[in-house]
């Protein structure tokens, strides 16, 4: 059943992020802290976390052929693969390109909830084709950007450390798609009251905020680290929830199988 309490907590959480960012924007923007190893660690952990989330959602979607779950699993897979590629790339155009494309892929698959909610895939082949097809596509984009960084579109201006209009538009589009998906997940949550739907409301909101902060940052300044931490928080919270849910289902299946064996 729908409860307004989690929504109030969600609003409070958003304000908890937004108010300090607005109040300390000048100082955060002026702060410069370049630490490639720390950045790589955060992005690698985030990428691996997202891939684990993707795998658990994929396994769950196989049992029910749930179209919404497989699209979310695919979005997580694309984001995870491209985030790991971003983590091991050298600073430069490909470095920003890989993050931006990963976010755009994620936003696209999240926003697909408007068309996939309540639908089922026709068969396992179609489900696997979508999931592994986009996973391979993401891996090929990441590998090409790493091996041939000169082929990546120019994302950073030549003489300063800002972002080009292309980079800003990509991330703002991703932000719009995440916020669009948040609206649908909130509508679904009002109907179902399910914790998982509420989680995706939170998640879409955090991703949307992170991508919205991106245009107001520059590489290695304080705002740059803020949106990294927002994304990392979203990834970690989701992994904990999905893992607990998956473990609970395994325990229930095992308990049911034990009962059938005893009978």
């Amino acid at each position: 059943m729908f409860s307004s309490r989690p929504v109030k907590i969600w609003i409070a959480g958003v304000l908890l992020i937004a108010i300090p960012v607005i109040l300390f924007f000048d100082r955060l923007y002026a702060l410069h802290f370049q630490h490639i190893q720390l950045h790589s660690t955060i992005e690698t952990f985030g990428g691996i976390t997202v891939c684990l989330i993707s795998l658990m959602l994929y396994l769950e979607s196989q049992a029910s052929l749930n179209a919404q779950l497989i699209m979310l699993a695919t979005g997580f897979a694309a984001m995870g693969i491209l985030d790991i590629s971003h983590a091991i790339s050298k600073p430069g155009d490909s470095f920003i390109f890989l993050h931006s494309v990963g976010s755009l892929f994620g936003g696209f698959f999240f926003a697909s909830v408007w068309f996939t909610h309540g639908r089922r895939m026709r068969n396992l082949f179609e489900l696997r084709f979508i999931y592994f097809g986009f996973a391979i596509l993401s891996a090929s984009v990441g590998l090409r950007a790493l091996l041939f960084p000169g082929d990546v579109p120019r994302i950073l201006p030549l003489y300063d450390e800002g972002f080009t209009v292309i980079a800003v538009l990509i991330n703002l589009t991703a932000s719009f798609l995440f916020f669009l998906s948040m609206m649908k997940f909130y509508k679904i949550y009002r109907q179902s009251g399910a914790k998982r739907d509420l989680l995706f409301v939170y998640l879409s909101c955090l991703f949307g905020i992170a991508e919205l902060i991106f245009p107001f940052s520059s590489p290695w300044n304080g705002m740059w680290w803020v949106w990294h931490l927002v994304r990392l928080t979203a990834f970690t919270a989701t992994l904990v929830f999905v893992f607990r849910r998956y473990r609970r289902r395994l325990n229930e299946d095992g308990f049911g199988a034990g009962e059938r064996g005893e009978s």
Side-chain angles (χ1 to χ4, degrees):
M1 184 176 180
F2 170 73
S3 171
S4 62
R5 184 181 176 185
V7 178
K8 293 177 181 178
I9 296 174
W10 165 53
I11 294 173
V14 171
L15 293 176
L16 192 64
I17 296 171
I19 291 175
V21 168
I22 293 172
L23 291 177
F24 299 101
F25 176 80
D26 292 341
R27 293 191 177 185
L28 287 170
Y29 195 88
L31 176 68
H32 185 83
F33 177 66
Q34 181 170 344
H35 199 299
I36 297 176
Q37 292 82 1
L38 176 61
H39 173 268
S40 295
T41 301
I42 291 174
E43 287 295 321
T44 302
F45 174 77
I48 293 173
T49 299
V50 173
C51 287
L52 290 174
I53 295 169
S54 169
L55 181 60
M56 284 186 276
L57 289 177
Y58 168 73
L59 292 175
E60 186 176 349
S61 69
Q62 279 190 308
S64 59
L65 294 179
N66 188 307
Q68 177 183 320
L69 280 185
I70 192 57
M71 295 300 276
L72 288 172
T74 304
F76 277 118
M79 290 175 67
I81 292 168
L82 290 169
D83 277 348
I84 293 172
S85 301
H86 165 70
I88 62 178
S89 63
K90 295 180 180 179
D93 288 316
S94 60
F95 182 73
I96 306 300
F97 172 80
L98 287 167
H99 160 75
S100 300
V101 173
S103 298
L104 187 61
F105 275 19
F108 169 79
F109 283 105
F110 263 65
S112 70
V113 66
W114 282 91
F115 309 102
T116 57
H117 177 63
R119 296 179 179 271
R120 288 168 51 88
M121 306 301 291
R122 286 178 291 185
N123 49 55
L124 277 175
F125 174 78
E126 185 179 28
L127 182 145
R128 292 168 180 168
F129 179 81
I130 292 173
Y131 182 79
F132 290 106
F134 276 95
I136 293 170
L137 175 63
S138 301
S140 64
V141 170
L143 189 60
R144 182 176 178 84
L146 290 172
L147 296 177
F148 307 102
D151 293 344
V152 171
R154 181 163 293 281
I155 297 294
L156 292 167
L158 189 58
Y159 297 110
D160 60 36
E161 293 185 346
F163 299 114
T164 63
V165 174
I166 295 176
V168 171
L169 286 177
I170 290 175
N171 285 272
L172 285 181
T173 301
S175 178
F176 170 76
L177 291 172
F178 281 123
F179 284 131
L180 188 66
S181 66
M182 180 189 72
M183 294 167 58
K184 181 63 175 180
F185 282 123
Y186 179 68
K187 183 179 179 181
I188 296 171
Y189 169 67
R190 286 185 63 90
Q191 296 171 347
S192 67
K195 291 182 179 179
R196 186 178 66 183
D197 296 325
L198 182 63
L199 172 70
F200 288 130
V201 174
Y202 291 149
L203 198 57
S204 303
C205 181
L206 289 176
F207 285 153
I209 290 173
E211 299 311 317
L212 191 61
I213 294 174
F214 177 90
F216 301 100
S217 68
S218 63
W220 311 113
N221 75 351
M223 296 299 293
W224 162 275
W225 290 104
V226 166
W227 63 257
H228 276 81
L229 292 176
V230 171
R231 280 166 52 89
L232 185 63
T233 301
F235 292 155
T236 306
T238 308
L239 178 64
V240 172
F241 178 88
V242 173
F243 176 74
R244 290 177 63 183
R245 176 185 171 87
Y246 185 69
R247 186 178 62 179
R248 185 167 61 249
R249 289 192 63 180
L250 287 179
N251 290 338
E252 289 173 356
D253 292 344
F255 180 74
E259 283 188 333
R260 288 191 297 271
E262 290 175 3
S263 61

